[in-house]
């Protein structure tokens, strides 16, 4: 055995299995766990973990870091919350394959549906690939703090093969044959699987359905069946929108069930909001029929974060649209002017709102529009604040903005369930607590913190989950779902992706709006507190909230 590099001494080991924790040392050599028990460190570096939890690195199965990885080597914001491995390319949105000179087709799918700036993509990515295997090779050479694996996306496959026709036409036989060739080439190179979107919420920057939404179900089925026999292959999709009892709901899930069973691949999708019970029933039925179906859950409910430094749904109203074109200093001055203020408030009262796309802020529902002033619930609604003060909710927004130099934040849920229902979904054995969307909706949501929120809120504040339950939901379950056999549990021989944190204080901080994307585009930055260290492959990546300079992350290629 190699000499130990590092010993984590005296921590409470929460190993990812769901079992109770125990006090032990962990010895690391050559990036892997070499020993667990009482260890003489010898000359190894010692990290004192007395009083702290020692867990596997967290696994996030739903991100969109495909572009971000080109300009952000450490994986913000995920790296601040203990995430060490992510799956990107979800919902049919990969940045490969792409024809030379046709990058705009790929960007069009991502710009509005996922709120990823096209200008930032053009400036921040080398675009030195065409086929998906070439993209993986490019990712392999990039400096990385955390680990990445990636789906090949359906929208990218369609635009690669069909060009502009991908946004308008069903695929013909030649188109489908060419997509199958590229899909198999991608899988041979180590793609995690294939993803698509059927969701009405995914539209392009020129107000059309993203390319994958034009595909027939038969096209999707044929592409998924191409993965039959591929070890650990995963099919991920953003749902067609059906509600229990709607015409077509049973037919839709029967299609998914048959495809999952016949292909032998794992099918996964988000189980979010109030339809959770019906979706879990469909998952159970698929498992009973012999398929593997995994629900992706969320610890908070997907919510839009709004502020004067980012955006509001009101910004789409003509009066607000003009007002918001001004510099922030001029906006602050305008909010203090009585006539301007009245015009803005009246516009909200009388406003007619278009349908929100992707994670755009929805029209205001004051009973579900929260003042977001602390990292954890409870949050007061603007309806409640209005009842207390006698002011219209829009006036309260303006007052809080003035008092905070425009930094006040507000939150509107896109999906929501009460705490008890959320726990029930997260506890379901076929569910993984994931769905951060990290890398996407960068100025709209702040969900890279769902892992720290899970522990701070559901374990510590509400005491609805034990710490071992929380850790198992975000480690071993994700490793099993995506076939990541060398991580997710602290055991001898496993990759030394490890978190060391204080279970009494670990939790998210408030987000901040920063303008540090390529071309200066804005995003929400959110850190955590209470985490002593995040290790990737035995190296400390984050030390007390700061990047150490180490870049030990790797590209993970699925292997047949």
């Amino acid at each position: 055995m190699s000499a130990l590099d590092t010993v984590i001494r005296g921590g409470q080991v929460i190993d990812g299995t769901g079992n109770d924790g125990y006090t032990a040392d962990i010895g690391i050599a050559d990036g892997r766990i070499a020993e667990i028990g009482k260890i003489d460190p010898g000359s190894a570096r010692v990290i004192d973990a007395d009083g702290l939890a020692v867990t596997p690195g967290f696994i996030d199965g739903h991100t969109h870091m495909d572009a971000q990885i080109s300009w952000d080597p450490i994986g913000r914001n995920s790296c601040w919350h203990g995430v060490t491995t992510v799956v990107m390319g979800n919902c049919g949105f990969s940045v490969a394959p792409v024809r030379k000179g046709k990058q705009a087709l790929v960007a069009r799918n991502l710009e509005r549906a996922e709120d990823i700036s096209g200008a930032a993509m053009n400036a921040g990515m080398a675009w030195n690939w065409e086929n998906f295997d070439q993209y993986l090779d490019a990712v392999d050479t990039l400096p990385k703090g955390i680990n990445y694996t990636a789906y090949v996306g359906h929208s990218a496959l369609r635009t690669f093969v069909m060009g502009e026709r991908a946004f308008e036409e069903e695929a013909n036989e030649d188109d489908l044959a060419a997509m199958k060739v590229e899909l198999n080439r991608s899988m041979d190179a180590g793609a995690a699987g294939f993803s698509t979107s059927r969701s009405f919420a995914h539209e392009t920057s020129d107000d059309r359905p993203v390319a994958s939404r034009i595909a027939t179900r038969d096209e999707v089925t044929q592409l998924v069946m191409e993965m039959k026999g591929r070890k650990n292959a995963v099919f991920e999709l953003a749902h067609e929108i059906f509600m229990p009892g709607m015409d077509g709901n049973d037919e839709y899930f029967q299609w998914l069930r048959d495809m999952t069973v016949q292909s032998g691949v794992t099918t996964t999708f988000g189980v979010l909001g109030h339809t959770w019970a019906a979706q879990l029933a469909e998952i159970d039925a698929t498992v009973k029929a012999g398929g593997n179906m995994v629900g992706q859950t969320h610890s908070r409910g997907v919510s839009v974060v709004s502020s004067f430094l980012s955006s509001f749904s009101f910004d789409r109203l003509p009066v607000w649209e003009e007002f918001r074109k001004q510099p922030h200093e001029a906006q602050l001055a305008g909010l203090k002017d009585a006539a301007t203020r009245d015009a803005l408030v009246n516009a909200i009262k009388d406003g007619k709102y278009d349908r929100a796309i992707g994670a755009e802020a929805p029209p205001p529902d004051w009973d579900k529009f929260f003042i977001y002033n602390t990292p954890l619930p409870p949050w007061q609604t603007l309806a409640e604040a209005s009842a207390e003060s006698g002011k219209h909710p829009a006036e309260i927004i303006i007052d809080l903005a003035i008092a905070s130099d425009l930094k006040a934040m507000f939150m509107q849920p896109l999906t929501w369930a009460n705490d008890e229902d959320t726990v029930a979904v997260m506890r379901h054995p076929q569910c993984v607590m994931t769905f951060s969307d990290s890398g996407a909706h960068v100025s709209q949501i702040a969900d890279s913190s769902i892992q720290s929120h899970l522990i701070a809120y559901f374990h510590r504040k509400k005491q609805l989950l034990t710490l071992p339950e929380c850790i198992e939901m975000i480690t071993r379950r994700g490793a099993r779902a995506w076939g990541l056999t060398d991580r997710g549990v602290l055991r001898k021989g496993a990759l030394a992706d490890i978190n060391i944190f204080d279970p009494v204080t670990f939790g998210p901080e408030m987000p901040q709006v920063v303008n540090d994307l390529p071309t200066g585009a804005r995003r929400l930055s959110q850190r955590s507190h209470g985490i002593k260290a995040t290790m990737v492959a035995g190296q400390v990546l984050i030390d007390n909230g700061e990047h150490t300079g180490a870049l030990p992350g790797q590209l993970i290629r699925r292997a047949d």
Side-chain angles (χ1 to χ4, degrees):
M1 182 183 72
S2 300
L4 296 178
D5 307 314
T6 304
V7 172
I8 303 170
R9 185 167 61 191
Q12 186 73 0
V13 176
I14 313 292
D15 64 9
T17 63
N19 295 330
D20 290 341
Y22 57 93
T23 302
D25 305 331
I26 296 179
I28 299 167
D30 299 327
R32 293 189 176 271
I33 297 173
E35 298 181 54
I36 301 178
K38 185 66 176 176
I39 300 171
D40 179 358
S43 61
R45 174 191 182 187
V46 174
I47 299 176
D48 184 5
D50 182 40
L52 304 178
V54 181
T55 76
F58 306 151
I59 296 169
D60 190 346
H62 195 110
T63 80
H64 293 274
M65 292 190 173
D66 314 65
Q68 178 180 322
I69 192 175
S70 289
W71 60 76
D72 173 16
I74 65 172
R76 299 172 180 90
N77 294 310
S78 296
C79 66
W80 308 125
H81 300 272
V83 172
T84 56
T85 298
V86 302
V87 184
M88 54 187 182
N90 282 272
C91 306
F93 302 132
S94 58
V95 295
V98 57
R99 298 289 182 191
K100 286 294 183 187
K102 298 294 184 180
Q103 296 95 319
L105 296 178
V106 169
R108 188 185 302 166
N109 287 307
L110 289 160
E111 284 175 311
R112 189 177 185 194
E114 297 295 339
D115 182 38
I116 303 175
S117 162
M121 284 189 279
N122 286 332
M125 286 196 289
W127 296 102
N128 56 349
W129 57 81
E130 285 193 274
N131 302 93
F132 191 82
D133 59 310
Q134 295 168 344
Y135 170 70
L136 291 183
D137 289 344
V139 170
D140 216 356
T141 65
L142 290 170
K144 295 174 288 295
I146 61 175
N147 307 303
Y148 298 83
T149 188
Y151 300 115
V152 58
H154 193 181
S155 284
L157 276 178
R158 290 190 113 243
T159 55
F160 181 72
V161 169
M162 300 173 64
E164 284 286 350
R165 292 191 300 114
F167 298 98
E168 301 165 357
E169 299 178 11
E170 295 180 6
N172 60 39
E173 290 185 7
D174 290 341
D175 295 330
L176 191 50
M179 279 189 265
K180 289 178 180 178
V181 168
E182 182 62 21
L183 173 59
N184 279 297
R185 178 171 175 164
S186 305
M187 297 299 292
D188 288 344
F194 165 70
S195 70
T196 194
S197 173
R198 315 285 296 168
S199 171
F200 78 98
H202 286 155
E203 290 189 5
T204 65
S205 48
D206 58 352
D207 300 320
R208 291 188 289 175
V210 297
S212 65
R213 286 181 54 198
I214 307 301
T216 63
R217 286 184 187 172
D218 180 67
E219 178 181 322
V220 175
T221 300
Q222 290 198 48
L223 291 169
V224 171
M225 291 303 294
E226 283 295 303
M227 297 192 292
K228 186 173 185 177
R230 300 273 190 177
K231 186 177 180 181
N232 296 320
V234 177
F235 167 54
E236 185 273 340
L237 78 156
H239 270 320
E240 293 180 23
I241 302 300
F242 284 109
M243 306 293 254
M246 280 182 63
D247 290 342
N249 183 70
D250 293 344
E251 178 188 355
Y252 171 70
F253 277 102
Q254 187 66 55
W255 167 63
L256 284 183
R257 185 177 310 130
D258 290 345
M259 184 167 49
T260 302
V261 172
Q262 292 166 17
S263 67
V265 307
T266 296
T267 294
T268 183
F269 47 78
V271 178
L272 307 169
H274 66 282
T275 63
W276 63 270
Q279 292 191 68
L280 292 185
E282 298 292 350
I283 289 173
D284 289 338
T286 300
V287 171
K288 185 176 181 179
N292 189 35
M293 190 171 276
V294 173
Q296 299 180 24
T297 74
H298 197 289
S299 66
R300 185 172 53 230
V302 180
S303 297
V304 180
V305 175
S306 295
S307 77
F308 275 90
L309 298 182
S310 55
S311 62
F312 289 100
S313 59
F314 330 133
D315 296 348
R316 303 193 290 272
L317 303 174
V319 171
W320 277 78
E321 186 176 15
E322 285 302 311
F323 177 75
R324 298 283 272 137
K325 289 177 182 178
Q326 301 177 84
H328 288 148
E329 295 80 3
Q331 291 184 46
L332 183 59
L335 296 178
K336 297 175 182 178
D337 174 76
T340 302
R341 178 190 180 104
D342 287 345
L344 293 172
V345 171
N346 289 332
I348 291 174
K349 290 178 179 178
D350 301 332
K352 293 180 173 55
Y353 296 85
D354 295 332
R355 180 170 62 90
I357 299 301
E360 293 173 350
D365 176 348
W366 305 118
D367 289 317
K368 295 179 181 177
F369 204 138
F370 297 94
I371 300 170
Y372 182 28
N373 55 3
T374 61
L376 299 178
W379 299 299
Q380 187 181 39
T381 69
L382 283 161
E384 292 167 340
S386 176
E388 287 181 5
S389 66
K391 295 181 179 181
H392 189 274
E395 294 180 274
I396 296 170
I397 289 174
I398 291 173
D399 287 343
L400 291 172
I402 292 171
S404 64
D405 195 26
L406 302 185
K407 294 177 183 177
M409 289 187 169
F410 307 87
M411 180 185 287
Q412 293 175 270
L414 298 179
T415 68
W416 184 86
N418 63 40
D419 288 349
E420 291 72 21
D421 288 350
T422 299
V423 168
V425 181
M426 292 191 296
R427 275 188 167 142
H428 190 280
Q430 286 297 118
C431 287
V432 180
M433 206 300 290
T434 186
F435 220 92
S436 74
D437 260 343
S438 291
H441 309 300
V442 293
S443 68
Q444 298 170 331
I445 68 174
D447 286 352
S448 297
S449 60
I450 57 173
Q451 291 84 10
S452 58
H453 180 93
L454 172 72
I455 293 165
Y457 183 70
F458 282 101
H459 165 58
R460 189 168 65 246
K461 186 167 186 174
K462 300 294 289 187
Q463 299 182 20
L464 293 174
L465 293 169
T466 68
L467 185 57
E469 280 184 294
C470 292
I471 298 304
E472 193 263 345
M473 290 172 180
I474 54 180
T475 57
R476 182 173 70 170
R477 289 198 192 181
R480 284 180 170 176
W482 285 277
L484 304 172
T485 57
D486 61 349
R487 68 201 70 207
V489 172
L490 297 180
R491 56 173 175 77
K492 189 175 179 179
L495 198 69
D497 289 358
I498 296 172
N499 285 316
I500 305 168
F501 63 85
D502 184 351
V504 178
T505 61
F506 179 46
E509 297 180 353
M510 281 295 293
Q512 295 180 322
V513 178
V514 297
N515 295 83
D516 63 357
L517 295 181
T519 71
R522 70 186 176 221
R523 69 178 180 92
L524 289 163
S525 174
Q526 187 175 27
R527 297 197 178 211
S528 69
H529 53 255
I531 187 163
K532 179 172 183 174
T534 294
M535 304 180 75
V536 175
Q539 297 186 48
V540 177
L541 173 70
I542 305 297
D543 182 2
N544 288 305
E546 298 300 328
H547 178 221
T548 63
L551 294 169
Q554 299 290 322
L555 171 70
I556 304 167
R557 296 180 188 260
R558 185 203 53 82
D560 288 321

